[in-house]
Amino acid sequence: MLPFKYLVSVVSLFVCSAIASEVNIINVPQDQHSHFTRDDYLNELLSKALIRADYSAEINLVPVHPHQQRNLMALDGNSLDLYWSMSSPERESLAIAIKIPLFKGYIGKRALLTNTKNVDKFKGITSVEQLSMLIAVQGHDWPDMRILVNNGLSVRPLSNLNSMFALTSQGRIDYFPRSFIEVNSELMDLKDKNLVIVPDLYISYPTGLYYFVSKNKPELAQAIEKGLKIMQKNGEFDALFYEYFATELNSLPYTKGKTIELKLDNPYF
């Protein structure tokens, strides 16, 4: 794995093609939260895809607002050219969605984060109906919010990520669904001894996290799609994904043959 610090300078990273003569400026998001593995992966994947497509680019990192919908709306302006997000019909209407799941579907597999004292609440749960008796928390503008509600789960919407973790840690919320590729990194960053992953139980739903590109940059969308497809074909896509996430996936507290997967419908995907 190439360390991200070698890919990105303070404000930009250069993706150069030997045959390209023109450099394109691409404004991409820099989330204002703790730095996680997923950010390194998404940036490295983007840079490699552009190289494979022979698309010469200077990638400019732009601090973004934590509200996801606001970032996608910015793709119609001059501040951002690209953003990554979970898909929804509304989001696909705002920008060009490159429909290649960047996390290979694992963004829809959700570990249940809870307070250590609440773990016993989940014992014996084998159905979505039983889980609906407990209260989850989700971002008010996240596509996940509608998915969970549509499946009859009880959900409290919030706008602040830190508050979601805090309420879960305090036991005021029963659980906080986090994706398989995020949850361990978040726990390491939070260092909160009250938080734990519910063992042998998780929820899942079909979805994808995509690169979204401004409608004003169709040539950029074409280049990224071309590069990603080349990487899928030559095995580079899978290799990079597992280089970043194999350890996280293998360290989840799920026992083979004993773990219960509660499958949810996603009518929006």
Side-chain angles (χ1 to χ4, degrees):
M1 182 190 308
L2 184 61
F4 189 57
K5 64 181 179 181
Y6 296 117
L7 289 175
V8 184
S9 65
V10 175
V11 295
S12 65
L13 116 86
F14 289 89
V15 180
C16 299
S17 167
I19 63 171
S21 59
E22 181 181 353
V23 175
N24 300 282
I25 305 297
I26 304 173
N27 293 319
V28 302
Q30 183 179 42
D31 287 340
Q32 299 303 290
H33 56 49
S34 299
H35 189 76
F36 295 130
T37 301
R38 64 172 181 260
D39 302 312
D40 289 352
Y41 166 73
L42 290 167
N43 278 289
E44 185 171 353
L45 181 63
L46 175 62
S47 68
K48 287 182 179 294
L50 292 172
I51 290 171
R52 296 296 168 263
D54 291 324
Y55 189 91
S56 182
E58 176 185 338
I59 298 181
N60 182 49
L61 299 180
V62 180
V64 295
H65 193 279
H67 289 176
Q68 296 180 7
Q69 197 77 359
R70 185 175 299 186
N71 294 330
L72 282 165
M73 291 176 67
L75 295 181
D76 283 336
N78 297 316
S79 57
L80 287 177
D81 298 311
L82 176 146
Y83 188 69
W84 41 76
S85 171
M86 232 181 81
S87 180
S88 73
E90 292 80 8
R91 294 181 178 195
E92 291 185 20
S93 72
L94 294 173
I96 302 171
I98 302 171
K99 296 188 177 183
I100 296 176
L102 303 177
F103 290 121
K104 298 174 63 64
Y106 283 101
I107 198 71
K109 293 184 181 294
R110 300 280 165 151
L112 308 182
L113 204 59
T114 191
N115 180 285
T116 54
K117 296 180 180 179
N118 285 338
V119 171
D120 286 345
K121 290 184 178 182
F122 297 86
K123 289 183 178 179
I125 290 181
T126 59
S127 69
V128 175
E129 289 74 22
Q130 289 173 310
L131 186 62
S132 69
M133 302 303 293
L134 302 180
I135 299 175
V137 66
Q138 288 285 274
H140 74 95
D141 66 337
W142 297 356
D144 316 80
M145 176 72 193
R146 286 204 303 171
I147 296 169
L148 268 61
V149 170
N150 184 74
N151 282 269
L153 295 177
S154 302
V155 190
R156 179 174 174 181
L158 290 177
S159 60
N160 185 279
L161 182 63
N162 290 331
S163 296
M164 298 181 216
F165 284 114
L167 290 176
T168 306
S169 174
Q170 295 161 12
R172 296 168 62 186
I173 294 292
D174 293 315
Y175 67 102
F176 185 12
R178 305 303 295 150
S179 78
F180 280 14
I181 53 87
E182 295 173 313
V183 64
N184 280 315
S185 292
E186 291 171 338
L187 285 174
M188 288 178 63
D189 179 68
L190 289 165
K191 297 180 176 62
D192 188 330
K193 294 181 179 180
N194 290 328
L195 290 173
V196 66
I197 300 171
V198 175
D200 297 331
L201 177 68
Y202 68 92
I203 62 176
S204 68
Y205 39 87
T207 189
L209 186 142
Y210 302 148
Y211 288 129
F212 285 82
V213 178
S214 168
K215 292 180 179 180
N216 299 323
K217 296 289 182 73
E219 74 290 342
L220 173 61
Q222 292 171 3
I224 295 172
E225 183 174 14
K226 176 183 176 181
L228 290 175
K229 287 182 176 179
I230 291 172
M231 293 178 68
Q232 285 181 319
K233 188 174 182 179
N234 66 19
E236 194 174 7
F237 189 110
D238 283 358
L240 186 65
F241 177 82
Y242 288 112
E243 187 177 352
Y244 272 97
F245 299 112
T247 299
E248 293 213 28
L249 294 174
N250 291 331
S251 63
L252 292 167
Y254 303 134
T255 307
K256 186 175 182 180
K258 295 183 179 180
T259 298
I260 296 172
E261 176 186 7
L262 301 181
K263 296 183 179 181
L264 308 184
D265 296 324
N266 182 3
Y268 315 107
F269 182 70

